[in-house]
């Protein structure tokens, strides 16, 4: 009797496992299964919409006319594409590909209220997430009035997330040039952050046929509430020789303090320090010193500016 009961129990467990494997296979590898998951998502997740879909989660799923809204934020895209795989022990969710076409991110009027609520003590994921191939074509950021704040032709990235987010590759192509970055963010308060950013930009200037060329690197270290920034590189203005640029700053929710600013080249040497107060909309530049190499010309000044009226004191 005991042996028979044991066989029944083992057989039942194997049947449950087989049923679970069959169900997961159906959900991941068939278009019908993907549609069933999407129907549940649209019914249970407020603000989630998709006009239609094709493909399967495992082979590659395309969502048409994607919409998602949350407090302070709204997303929409002509198309979202994703291919999913997973490991079970330990559980790893792998987004083999994740793409979007014509992605629009808009901040909403209640964004400030959401920001005031602050971050929770932890944003750690209960499993490991891998996204080795993220590709977005045409990315736009809008304010709550619908005005465009930022536009990128393409974004590519590779990242993992669990107890921390590791960005192993990131590239952003904009009209003015290209940005590339690597870094990591720990998902536990106070959310330590390390970031290395490289920018190669050509910025148009009014009444100048040639652009201002920037080739700089930025190293950021600290937390999401307070960061130490170091910028080094070259600036190549039209009609002048390239100059080296170096700054050291600390940025927080209250403002930014720059302990070192140095621009040096054959045409001009400028040094100084300063600060910006976000709350008071006020900026000051202290100990500004300008010299022209090979001459006796030297200018020193302390400046203060009201950022709202642009009045200089």
């Amino acid at each position: 009797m005991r042996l028979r009961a044991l066989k029944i129990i083992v057989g039942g467990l194997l049947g449950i496992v087989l049923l679970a494997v069959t169900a997961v296979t159906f959900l991941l590898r068939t278009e019908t299964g993907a549609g069933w998951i999407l129907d549940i998502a649209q019914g249970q997740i407020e603000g989630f919409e998709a006009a239609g879909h094709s493909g399967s989660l495992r082979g590659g799923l395309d969502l048409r006319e994607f919409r998602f809204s949350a407090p302070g934020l709204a997303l929409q895209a002509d198309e979202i594409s994703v291919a999913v795989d997973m490991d079970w022990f330990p559980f790893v969710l792998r987004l083999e590909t994740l793409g979007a076409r014509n992605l629009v991110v808009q901040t909403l009027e209640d964004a400030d209220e959401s920001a005031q609520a602050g971050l929770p003590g932890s944003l750690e994921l209960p499993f490991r997430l891998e996204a080795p191939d993220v590709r977005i074509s045409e990315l736009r950021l809008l304010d709550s009035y619908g005005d465009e704040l930022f536009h990128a032709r393409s974004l590519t990235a590779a990242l993992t997330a669990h107890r921390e987010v590791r960005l192993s590759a990131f590239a952003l192509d904009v009209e003015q040039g290209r940005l590339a970055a690597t870094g990591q963010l720990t998902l536990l308060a106070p959310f330590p952050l390390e970031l290395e950013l490289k920018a190669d930009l050509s910025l148009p200037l009014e009444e100048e046929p040639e652009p201002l060329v920037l080739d700089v690197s930025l190293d950021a270290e600290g937390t999401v509430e307070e960061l130490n920034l170091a910028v080094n590189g070259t600036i190549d203005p039209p009609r002048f020789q390239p100059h080296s640029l170096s700054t050291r700053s600390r940025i927080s929710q209250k403002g930014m303090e720059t302990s070192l600013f140095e621009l040096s080249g054959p045409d001009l040497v400028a040094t100084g320090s300063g600060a910006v107060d976000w709350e008071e909309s006020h900026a000051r530049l202290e100990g500004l010193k300008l010299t022209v190499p090979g001459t006796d010309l030297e200018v020193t000044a302390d400046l203060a500016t009201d950022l709202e009226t642009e009045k200089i004191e």
Side-chain angles (χ1 to χ4, degrees):
M1 292 293 294
R2 291 181 179 178
L3 180 60
R4 181 181 179 185
L6 180 61
K7 289 181 178 179
I8 293 174
I9 293 173
V10 172
L13 291 175
L14 290 175
I16 293 173
V17 171
L18 180 61
L19 181 63
V21 171
T22 302
V24 170
T25 301
F26 169 77
L27 293 175
L28 291 181
R29 296 183 179 273
T30 67
E31 186 167 339
T32 303
W36 187 71
I37 293 176
L38 287 174
D39 288 341
I40 294 178
Q42 293 186 85
Q44 298 296 321
I45 302 176
E46 184 177 355
F48 177 87
E49 297 179 19
H53 79 281
S54 61
S56 66
L57 284 169
R58 181 65 184 90
L61 177 67
D62 295 327
L63 303 180
R64 297 185 299 275
E65 297 181 22
F66 168 83
R67 303 286 188 275
F68 178 74
S69 60
L73 189 68
L75 305 176
Q76 67 179 56
D78 290 349
E79 184 178 82
I80 296 289
S81 60
V82 61
V84 177
D85 196 6
M86 58 187 68
D87 296 331
W88 292 101
F89 302 105
F91 183 75
V92 177
L93 178 61
R94 186 177 299 106
L95 306 180
E96 297 286 1
T97 61
L98 176 61
R101 181 168 58 85
N102 292 333
L103 177 63
V104 178
V105 181
Q106 182 174 10
T107 59
L108 303 180
E109 292 183 353
D110 56 354
D112 292 339
E113 298 178 4
S114 302
Q116 290 175 1
L119 293 171
S122 174
L123 294 173
E124 294 181 353
L125 300 181
F127 54 86
R128 179 179 173 85
L129 173 68
E130 298 179 356
D133 186 12
V134 179
R135 297 178 182 273
I136 299 174
S137 62
E138 298 299 329
L139 169 65
R140 292 192 298 147
L141 175 63
L142 310 181
D143 63 16
S144 58
Y145 299 101
D147 295 328
E148 185 173 285
L149 302 175
F150 176 79
H151 172 249
R153 295 169 176 167
S154 68
L155 179 152
T156 58
L159 60 91
T160 60
H162 186 194
R163 295 182 176 87
E164 61 184 13
V165 176
R166 289 184 177 270
L167 189 65
S168 57
F170 175 88
L172 192 67
D173 289 318
V174 297
E175 183 179 355
Q176 297 83 5
R178 183 178 177 87
L179 302 173
T182 59
Q184 65 181 44
L185 170 67
T186 300
L187 298 177
L188 184 67
F191 304 102
L193 171 67
E194 295 179 9
L195 180 67
E196 295 181 5
L197 176 68
K198 174 72 174 176
D200 186 0
L201 304 172
S202 295
L203 307 177
L205 300 175
E206 291 185 5
E207 301 181 0
E208 286 289 346
E210 298 297 326
L212 173 69
V213 178
L214 288 176
D215 183 5
V216 299
S217 61
L218 180 148
D219 294 321
E221 184 176 359
T223 69
V224 293
E225 294 186 349
E226 185 173 290
L227 279 174
N228 294 313
L229 306 178
V231 176
N232 296 284
T234 59
I235 177 171
D236 189 359
R239 298 189 293 178
F240 292 95
Q241 297 295 319
H243 286 56
S244 63
L245 174 67
S246 180
T247 69
R248 299 293 182 271
S249 303
R250 180 169 59 89
I251 187 170
S252 67
Q253 296 178 347
K254 295 182 178 180
M256 181 175 67
E257 296 182 1
T258 299
S259 59
L260 169 67
F261 171 84
E262 184 176 281
L263 181 68
S264 179
D267 302 305
L268 179 70
V269 175
T271 59
S273 60
V276 177
D277 190 317
W278 311 132
E279 297 176 351
E280 300 295 332
S281 297
H282 187 268
R284 70 176 190 276
L285 187 60
E286 300 175 339
L288 175 63
K289 181 179 179 181
L290 304 175
T291 60
V292 177
T295 72
D296 296 330
L297 180 62
E298 180 178 304
V299 178
T300 59
D302 295 321
L303 302 175
T305 303
D306 187 308
L307 299 179
E308 291 183 352
T309 65
E310 299 182 355
K311 181 180 179 181
I312 299 177
E313 302 174 359

